[in-house]
Amino acid sequence: MAEYFTVRRGIWTQNLWLLLAGLALLGPLLALGSSGFEGAIHHYFLQYTFLPGYLKSLLVMLHTALVGTGVLCVIFYVVAGARSVNLLAWLGGDLWKEGSTVEKATVALSLLALAGGLGFVGLRLGRDVLRARLYGSLPVQERRAALASGGPLTPYYDAVREMKAQLAGHEGAVALLRPPLEARQPPVPDEYLLLSYELFPVRVYLAAAPGCDEKNISREWFVERRISWMIPDCGISFEPRLVPLEREEVP
Amino acid sequence: MSLLLFCAAAFFWGMSLVRLIAGDVLRGPARWGAGWLAGVFSFSFAAFLWGLAGGRLSPGFVWALCGVSLAGSAFLWHRGRSVESSDERLVQPYTPLEWAGLLGLALFSLAALLTFATMPLTAGDSLVIWAFQGRVIFENGVYPPAELKDTAFLMAHPQYPPLLPMAEALLSFLHGSFDERLVRVIPSFSYFAMLAILWEELPRRNSRLGVLLFLVFALMPSWTIYELGGATAGMADPTVGALVLATVVILGRGRENNGKALRWRKLAPAALAGMLLAFAGLVKNEGLVLGVLVLVGAGVTRKERREVLTLAAVWFLILLPWFLVRGQLNPDFEENYGGLLSVSRIAGNLPRLPEILLEMGKQFLFRPHRAGPFWWIVGVLAVFGTNRQEVWMKSFLWIVPVYFAILAGIYLISPWSDIQQVQVSFDRLLLQVAPLAIRAAAGAAQGMSAPKVAASLSPLEPARG
């Protein structure tokens, strides 16, 4: 080991990247604070994905972990400098010490990639532990509703639960009534598709109903599909509720 | 237990098949990976054909499939042969960086398997496309079920290719009921199959950078952080990537070994590659596009015409039944890009092209929580590597920019508004070509500096100034 820690001139400069990385982490993180960090993450990274309910605690954990990483970078910089260890040469081995310029560039980028990759693995582990503690005791189906809490699909889980209870022990399929134009506009709204998946094996069919009136749909259409229930969706917002189709209405 | 037996039967069947027809070219972990892909999707394809022939899909059918395949595996194993490699994988001692990456990968694998076993699906597409179609097949016990043909039945993409939902249905038959957690089994194992192939392939193509590049690929945040272990919203992207990778590896190895091979064995790897490439098209529509690109690449770079013809013929014959049945399925809930392809639509949407390209560029290069610096690394090696000219054509790297151009064209004519579709899908679609790209990148930097002997490679070497 002794020969490894050979004193070299310029080692402080060679490891400067680590100090800069540490300061680059610490500066913005301390300036933003935990709540500012959460806002920034939402703004830059999570605008296209729904936010599960446990995310807030996870982001607090992440902020703390990143501040810790920044501090560790500074500590490692000082320790490595004091012991004359070129960290890139130690981490990258022969590739860094004797590789071509392209290989060195690849090692440097790979270091960045693996640091990020390992960080995300850590984040995943934190998330998994947090979730297991919060939802591990719930039945599987309840876990999904809890996991989606705060997401765009959440409002439908309560409705879905009610509908399933309503449909239990009954036969027949469901017709989702919509005005004709909207009924054929791709893509079909996500909430319809989720509802159809959730209610299956009760089949859900889309019915283009002028005036949102089931009387404007042919009787054969109802009979062929054994429709016994309707979900009218003719208001401004989608509020799914089951309406039984009166028996005399079906020939 | 029955699920494990199914997976084991598929794995042994695929391994025996690969060993018999490409024993010369695939060895070790690469054979395990390709074996899993060939096995599980040939099961699924057999069930698809059985359904088309009017057969009933049931637990009895799946047990019969497992039994026949195990007997077949024993026969094929006896007939197959494995040729000892003369170019053994040359691996240098791992650096601390690589050890850290391997530890991270082990932790992720454990966490992923635990999550998959305990947590339900939450991503929209995985529920409303893959899980739903698998469940409909399971409930009906026939293929194609009437619901997929009914224009009124509410389901996303009834025309989506059948192999993944069919595999989910087969697992459900054995399980006795549909459990949406089963939906993750095949894509997750396919991710690990892809890693197995790359674990053998990358150090073989580049003894110095191979392990590092493998870890960069395996630990890409897109694979590790997201709920489905890589298929952020959908399920099939890692599977398509794995199948295309296996195809390209087999074609590449076949080229290296053709001189040594017996007459019929020269064409056998091409047939296996054609089968895997066709399976990619039967897993996701994008697999068809990538299939055509690989065929074009093989046609341009391969001198052996019979080999290219074998590849194309097997690919087409496997896809043919799907092309025939697809027309019967409900087209109303599809984007129908073919119908949207018109000069007037392209001209009308041209103003949004810069915005589309900008968003694609951002996702390609500046998404630390998705690809990280992965594409930067591929770019450095592809542009500055000493073998760059060779890998662009022979390792099919050209497919990456061409595929991006095709996707940009699709986004341009898409019925989705503005750049919404780019935002929700491009990250995932990049994963389909990422394995192919990292393989080519490893080859591009091959031999940039001579490997040192192992004795001088201790990570405890003195630091150099």
Coordinates of all heavy atoms in Angstrom, one line a residue, chain B residues 191-251:
Chain B
Y191 N -34.9 -8.1 -19.9 CA -33.9 -7.2 -19.6 C -32.6 -7.9 -19.1 O -31.5 -7.6 -19.6 CB -34.4 -6.2 -18.5 CG -33.3 -5.4 -17.8 CD1 -32.7 -4.3 -18.4 CD2 -32.9 -5.8 -16.5 CE1 -31.7 -3.6 -17.7 CE2 -31.9 -5.1 -15.8 CZ -31.3 -4.0 -16.4 OH -30.3 -3.3 -15.8
F192 N -32.8 -8.9 -18.3 CA -31.6 -9.6 -17.8 C -31.0 -10.5 -18.9 O -29.8 -10.7 -18.9 CB -32.0 -10.5 -16.6 CG -32.3 -9.7 -15.3 CD1 -33.5 -9.6 -14.8 CD2 -31.2 -8.9 -14.8 CE1 -33.8 -8.8 -13.7 CE2 -31.5 -8.1 -13.6 CZ -32.7 -8.1 -13.1
A193 N -31.8 -11.0 -19.8 CA -31.3 -11.7 -21.0 C -30.4 -10.8 -21.8 O -29.3 -11.2 -22.3 CB -32.4 -12.3 -21.8
M194 N -30.9 -9.5 -22.0 CA -30.1 -8.6 -22.7 C -28.8 -8.3 -22.0 O -27.7 -8.2 -22.7 CB -30.9 -7.3 -22.8 CG -30.3 -6.1 -23.5 SD -31.6 -4.9 -24.0 CE -32.2 -4.4 -22.3
L195 N -28.8 -8.2 -20.7 CA -27.5 -8.0 -20.0 C -26.6 -9.2 -20.2 O -25.4 -9.0 -20.3 CB -27.8 -7.8 -18.5 CG -28.5 -6.5 -18.1 CD1 -28.4 -6.3 -16.6 CD2 -28.0 -5.3 -18.8
A196 N -27.2 -10.4 -20.1 CA -26.4 -11.6 -20.3 C -25.6 -11.6 -21.7 O -24.4 -11.9 -21.7 CB -27.2 -12.9 -20.2
I197 N -26.4 -11.2 -22.7 CA -25.7 -11.1 -24.0 C -24.6 -10.0 -24.0 O -23.5 -10.3 -24.5 CB -26.8 -10.8 -25.1 CG1 -27.8 -11.9 -25.2 CG2 -26.1 -10.5 -26.5 CD1 -29.0 -11.6 -26.1
L198 N -24.9 -8.9 -23.4 CA -23.9 -7.8 -23.5 C -22.7 -8.1 -22.6 O -21.6 -7.7 -22.8 CB -24.6 -6.5 -23.0 CG -25.5 -5.9 -24.1 CD1 -26.2 -4.6 -23.5 CD2 -24.8 -5.5 -25.3
W199 N -23.0 -8.9 -21.5 CA -21.9 -9.2 -20.6 C -20.8 -10.1 -21.3 O -19.6 -10.0 -21.0 CB -22.5 -10.0 -19.4 CG -21.4 -10.6 -18.4 CD1 -21.1 -11.8 -18.2 CD2 -20.6 -9.8 -17.5 NE1 -20.1 -12.0 -17.3 CE2 -19.8 -10.7 -16.8 CE3 -20.5 -8.4 -17.2 CZ2 -18.9 -10.3 -15.8 CZ3 -19.6 -8.1 -16.2 CH2 -18.9 -9.0 -15.6
E200 N -21.3 -10.9 -22.2 CA -20.3 -11.7 -23.0 C -19.8 -10.9 -24.2 O -18.7 -11.0 -24.6 CB -21.1 -13.0 -23.5 CG -20.2 -14.2 -23.5 CD -19.8 -14.6 -24.9 OE1 -20.6 -14.2 -25.9 OE2 -18.8 -15.2 -25.1
E201 N -20.7 -10.1 -24.8 CA -20.4 -9.5 -26.1 C -19.5 -8.3 -25.9 O -18.5 -8.1 -26.7 CB -21.7 -9.1 -26.8 CG -21.5 -8.4 -28.1 CD -21.1 -9.3 -29.2 OE1 -20.8 -10.5 -29.0 OE2 -21.0 -8.8 -30.4
L202 N -19.7 -7.4 -25.0 CA -19.0 -6.2 -24.9 C -17.5 -6.4 -24.6 O -16.6 -5.8 -25.3 CB -19.6 -5.2 -23.9 CG -21.0 -4.7 -24.4 CD1 -21.5 -3.6 -23.4 CD2 -21.0 -4.1 -25.8
P203 N -17.1 -7.2 -23.6 CA -15.7 -7.4 -23.4 C -15.0 -8.2 -24.5 O -13.8 -8.0 -24.8 CB -15.7 -8.2 -22.1 CG -16.9 -8.0 -21.4 CD -17.9 -7.8 -22.5
R204 N -15.8 -8.9 -25.2 CA -15.3 -9.6 -26.4 C -14.9 -8.7 -27.5 O -14.0 -8.8 -28.2 CB -16.4 -10.6 -26.9 CG -15.9 -11.7 -27.8 CD -17.1 -12.6 -28.1 NE -16.7 -13.6 -29.0 CZ -16.8 -13.5 -30.3 NH1 -17.3 -12.3 -30.8 NH2 -16.5 -14.4 -31.2
R205 N -15.7 -7.6 -27.6 CA -15.5 -6.6 -28.7 C -14.5 -5.6 -28.2 O -13.8 -4.9 -29.1 CB -16.8 -5.9 -29.1 CG -17.7 -6.8 -29.9 CD -19.1 -6.1 -30.1 NE -19.0 -5.0 -31.0 CZ -19.0 -5.1 -32.3 NH1 -19.0 -6.3 -32.9 NH2 -18.9 -4.0 -33.0
N206 N -14.4 -5.4 -26.9 CA -13.4 -4.4 -26.4 C -13.0 -4.9 -25.0 O -13.7 -4.6 -24.0 CB -14.1 -3.0 -26.4 CG -13.0 -2.0 -26.1 OD1 -12.1 -2.1 -25.3 ND2 -13.2 -0.9 -26.8
S207 N -11.8 -5.5 -25.0 CA -11.4 -6.1 -23.7 C -11.1 -5.0 -22.7 O -11.1 -5.3 -21.5 CB -10.1 -6.9 -23.9 OG -9.1 -6.2 -24.5
R208 N -10.8 -3.8 -23.1 CA -10.4 -2.8 -22.1 C -11.6 -2.0 -21.6 O -11.8 -1.7 -20.4 CB -9.4 -1.8 -22.7 CG -8.0 -2.4 -22.9 CD -7.2 -1.6 -23.9 NE -6.9 -0.3 -23.3 CZ -5.9 0.0 -22.5 NH1 -5.1 -1.0 -22.1 NH2 -5.7 1.2 -22.1
L209 N -12.5 -1.7 -22.5 CA -13.7 -0.8 -22.1 C -15.0 -1.6 -21.9 O -16.0 -1.1 -21.4 CB -14.0 0.2 -23.1 CG -13.0 1.4 -23.2 CD1 -13.3 2.3 -24.5 CD2 -13.2 2.3 -22.0
G210 N -14.9 -2.9 -22.3 CA -16.2 -3.7 -22.3 C -17.0 -3.7 -21.0 O -18.2 -3.4 -21.0
V211 N -16.3 -4.0 -19.9 CA -17.1 -4.1 -18.7 C -17.6 -2.8 -18.2 O -18.7 -2.7 -17.8 CB -16.1 -4.7 -17.6 CG1 -16.8 -4.7 -16.2 CG2 -15.8 -6.2 -17.9
L212 N -16.8 -1.8 -18.4 CA -17.2 -0.4 -18.1 C -18.5 0.0 -18.9 O -19.5 0.5 -18.3 CB -16.1 0.6 -18.3 CG -16.2 2.0 -17.7 CD1 -16.3 1.8 -16.2 CD2 -15.0 2.8 -18.0
L213 N -18.4 -0.3 -20.2 CA -19.6 0.1 -21.0 C -20.8 -0.7 -20.7 O -21.9 -0.3 -20.7 CB -19.2 -0.1 -22.5 CG -18.1 0.8 -23.1 CD1 -17.8 0.5 -24.5 CD2 -18.5 2.3 -22.9
F214 N -20.6 -2.0 -20.3 CA -21.7 -2.8 -19.9 C -22.4 -2.2 -18.7 O -23.6 -2.1 -18.6 CB -21.1 -4.2 -19.5 CG -22.1 -5.1 -18.8 CD1 -23.1 -5.8 -19.5 CD2 -22.1 -5.2 -17.4 CE1 -24.0 -6.6 -18.7 CE2 -23.0 -5.9 -16.7 CZ -23.9 -6.6 -17.4
L215 N -21.6 -1.8 -17.7 CA -22.2 -1.2 -16.5 C -22.9 0.1 -16.8 O -23.9 0.4 -16.2 CB -21.1 -1.0 -15.4 CG -20.5 -2.3 -14.9 CD1 -19.3 -2.1 -14.1 CD2 -21.6 -3.0 -14.0
V216 N -22.3 0.9 -17.7 CA -22.9 2.2 -18.0 C -24.3 1.9 -18.6 O -25.3 2.6 -18.3 CB -22.0 3.0 -19.0 CG1 -22.8 4.1 -19.7 CG2 -20.8 3.5 -18.3
F217 N -24.4 0.9 -19.4 CA -25.6 0.5 -20.1 C -26.6 0.0 -19.0 O -27.8 0.4 -18.9 CB -25.4 -0.5 -21.2 CG -26.6 -1.1 -21.8 CD1 -27.3 -0.4 -22.8 CD2 -27.2 -2.2 -21.3 CE1 -28.5 -0.9 -23.3 CE2 -28.4 -2.7 -21.8 CZ -29.0 -2.0 -22.8
A218 N -26.1 -1.0 -18.2 CA -27.0 -1.7 -17.3 C -27.6 -0.8 -16.2 O -28.7 -1.0 -15.7 CB -26.3 -2.9 -16.7
L219 N -26.8 0.3 -15.9 CA -27.2 1.1 -14.8 C -27.8 2.5 -15.3 O -27.9 3.4 -14.5 CB -26.1 1.4 -13.8 CG -25.6 0.2 -13.0 CD1 -24.4 0.5 -12.2 CD2 -26.8 -0.2 -12.0
M220 N -28.2 2.5 -16.6 CA -28.8 3.7 -17.1 C -30.1 4.0 -16.2 O -30.9 3.0 -16.0 CB -29.2 3.5 -18.5 CG -29.2 4.7 -19.4 SD -30.0 4.5 -21.0 CE -29.4 3.0 -21.6
P221 N -30.3 5.2 -15.8 CA -31.5 5.5 -14.9 C -32.8 5.0 -15.5 O -33.7 4.6 -14.8 CB -31.4 7.0 -14.7 CG -30.0 7.3 -14.9 CD -29.4 6.4 -15.9
S222 N -32.9 5.1 -16.8 CA -34.2 4.6 -17.4 C -34.5 3.2 -17.1 O -35.6 2.8 -16.9 CB -34.1 4.7 -19.0 OG -34.3 6.0 -19.4
W223 N -33.5 2.4 -16.9 CA -33.7 1.0 -16.5 C -34.0 0.8 -15.0 O -34.8 0.0 -14.6 CB -32.5 0.1 -16.8 CG -32.0 0.0 -18.2 CD1 -30.7 0.3 -18.6 CD2 -32.6 -0.4 -19.4 NE1 -30.5 0.1 -19.9 CE2 -31.7 -0.4 -20.4 CE3 -33.9 -0.9 -19.6 CZ2 -32.0 -0.7 -21.7 CZ3 -34.2 -1.2 -20.9 CH2 -33.3 -1.1 -22.0
T224 N -33.3 1.6 -14.2 CA -33.2 1.3 -12.8 C -34.3 2.0 -12.0 O -34.8 1.4 -11.0 CB -31.8 1.6 -12.2 OG1 -31.5 3.0 -12.5 CG2 -30.8 0.7 -12.8
I225 N -34.6 3.3 -12.3 CA -35.4 4.0 -11.4 C -36.9 3.9 -11.6 O -37.7 3.9 -10.7 CB -35.0 5.5 -11.4 CG1 -35.7 6.3 -10.3 CG2 -35.4 6.2 -12.7 CD1 -35.3 5.9 -8.9
Y226 N -37.2 3.6 -12.9 CA -38.7 3.6 -13.2 C -39.4 2.3 -12.7 O -38.7 1.3 -12.6 CB -38.9 3.9 -14.6 CG -38.6 5.4 -14.8 CD1 -37.3 5.8 -15.3 CD2 -39.4 6.4 -14.5 CE1 -37.0 7.1 -15.4 CE2 -39.1 7.7 -14.5 CZ -37.9 8.1 -15.0 OH -37.5 9.4 -15.1
E227 N -40.6 2.5 -12.6 CA -41.5 1.4 -11.9 C -41.3 0.1 -12.6 O -41.3 -1.0 -11.9 CB -42.9 1.9 -12.0 CG -43.9 1.1 -11.3 CD -43.5 1.0 -9.8 OE1 -43.1 2.1 -9.3 OE2 -43.7 0.0 -9.2
L228 N -41.2 0.1 -13.9 CA -41.2 -1.2 -14.6 C -39.8 -1.7 -15.0 O -39.6 -2.5 -15.8 CB -42.1 -1.1 -15.8 CG -43.5 -0.7 -15.5 CD1 -44.3 -0.3 -16.7 CD2 -44.2 -1.8 -14.8
G229 N -38.8 -1.1 -14.4 CA -37.5 -1.5 -14.6 C -37.1 -1.3 -16.1 O -36.5 -2.2 -16.7
G230 N -37.4 -0.2 -16.6 CA -36.9 0.2 -17.9 C -38.0 0.5 -18.9 O -37.7 1.2 -19.9
A231 N -39.1 0.0 -18.7 CA -40.2 0.3 -19.8 C -41.1 1.4 -19.2 O -42.3 1.1 -19.0 CB -40.9 -0.9 -20.1
T232 N -40.6 2.5 -19.0 CA -41.2 3.5 -18.1 C -42.7 3.5 -18.1 O -43.3 3.5 -17.1 CB -40.7 4.9 -18.4 OG1 -40.9 5.1 -19.8 CG2 -39.2 5.1 -18.2
A233 N -43.3 3.6 -19.3 CA -44.8 3.6 -19.3 C -45.3 2.3 -20.0 O -46.3 1.7 -19.6 CB -45.3 4.8 -20.0
G234 N -44.6 1.9 -21.0 CA -45.0 0.7 -21.7 C -44.2 -0.5 -21.1 O -43.6 -0.4 -20.1
M235 N -44.4 -1.6 -21.7 CA -43.7 -2.8 -21.2 C -42.7 -3.4 -22.2 O -41.9 -4.2 -21.8 CB -44.8 -3.9 -21.0 CG -45.8 -3.6 -19.9 SD -44.9 -3.5 -18.3 CE -44.2 -5.1 -18.1
A236 N -42.8 -3.1 -23.4 CA -42.2 -3.9 -24.4 C -40.8 -3.4 -24.9 O -40.1 -4.1 -25.7 CB -43.1 -4.1 -25.6
D237 N -40.4 -2.2 -24.6 CA -39.2 -1.6 -25.2 C -38.0 -2.4 -24.9 O -37.2 -2.6 -25.8 CB -39.1 -0.1 -24.8 CG -40.4 0.6 -25.2 OD1 -40.6 0.8 -26.4 OD2 -41.2 1.0 -24.3
P238 N -37.7 -2.8 -23.6 CA -36.5 -3.5 -23.4 C -36.5 -4.9 -24.1 O -35.5 -5.4 -24.5 CB -36.5 -3.7 -21.8 CG -37.8 -3.4 -21.3 CD -38.4 -2.5 -22.4
T239 N -37.7 -5.4 -24.2 CA -37.8 -6.7 -24.9 C -37.5 -6.6 -26.4 O -36.7 -7.4 -27.0 CB -39.2 -7.3 -24.8 OG1 -39.6 -7.2 -23.4 CG2 -39.3 -8.7 -25.2
V240 N -38.0 -5.5 -27.0 CA -37.7 -5.3 -28.4 C -36.1 -5.0 -28.6 O -35.5 -5.6 -29.5 CB -38.5 -4.1 -29.0 CG1 -37.9 -3.6 -30.4 CG2 -39.9 -4.4 -29.1
G241 N -35.6 -4.2 -27.7 CA -34.2 -4.0 -27.7 C -33.3 -5.3 -27.6 O -32.4 -5.5 -28.3
A242 N -33.8 -6.1 -26.7 CA -33.1 -7.4 -26.5 C -33.1 -8.3 -27.7 O -32.1 -8.9 -28.1 CB -33.7 -8.1 -25.3
L243 N -34.3 -8.3 -28.4 CA -34.4 -9.2 -29.5 C -33.6 -8.6 -30.7 O -32.9 -9.4 -31.4 CB -35.9 -9.3 -29.9 CG -36.7 -10.2 -29.0 CD1 -38.2 -9.9 -29.1 CD2 -36.5 -11.7 -29.3
V244 N -33.6 -7.3 -30.9 CA -32.8 -6.7 -32.0 C -31.3 -7.0 -31.7 O -30.5 -7.3 -32.6 CB -33.1 -5.2 -32.2 CG1 -32.2 -4.6 -33.1 CG2 -34.6 -5.1 -32.6
L245 N -30.9 -6.8 -30.4 CA -29.5 -7.0 -30.0 C -29.1 -8.5 -30.3 O -28.1 -8.7 -31.0 CB -29.3 -6.7 -28.6 CG -28.0 -7.1 -28.0 CD1 -26.9 -6.2 -28.5 CD2 -28.0 -7.2 -26.5
A246 N -29.9 -9.4 -29.9 CA -29.6 -10.8 -30.2 C -29.4 -11.1 -31.7 O -28.5 -11.8 -32.1 CB -30.7 -11.7 -29.6
T247 N -30.3 -10.5 -32.5 CA -30.2 -10.7 -33.9 C -28.9 -10.2 -34.4 O -28.2 -10.9 -35.2 CB -31.4 -9.9 -34.6 OG1 -32.6 -10.3 -34.0 CG2 -31.4 -10.1 -36.1
V248 N -28.6 -9.0 -34.0 CA -27.3 -8.3 -34.6 C -26.1 -9.1 -34.1 O -25.1 -9.3 -34.9 CB -27.3 -6.9 -34.1 CG1 -26.0 -6.2 -34.3 CG2 -28.4 -6.1 -34.8
V249 N -26.1 -9.6 -32.8 CA -25.0 -10.3 -32.3 C -24.8 -11.6 -33.1 O -23.7 -12.0 -33.6 CB -25.1 -10.7 -30.8 CG1 -24.1 -11.7 -30.3 CG2 -25.0 -9.4 -30.0
I250 N -25.9 -12.3 -33.4 CA -25.8 -13.6 -34.1 C -25.3 -13.3 -35.5 O -24.5 -14.1 -36.0 CB -27.2 -14.3 -34.1 CG1 -27.5 -14.8 -32.7 CG2 -27.2 -15.5 -35.1 CD1 -29.0 -15.2 -32.5
L251 N -25.8 -12.3 -36.2 CA -25.4 -12.0 -37.5 C -23.9 -11.7 -37.5 O -23.2 -12.1 -38.4 CB -26.2 -10.8 -38.1 CG -27.6 -11.1 -38.5 CD1 -28.3 -9.8 -39.0 CD2 -27.7 -12.1 -39.6

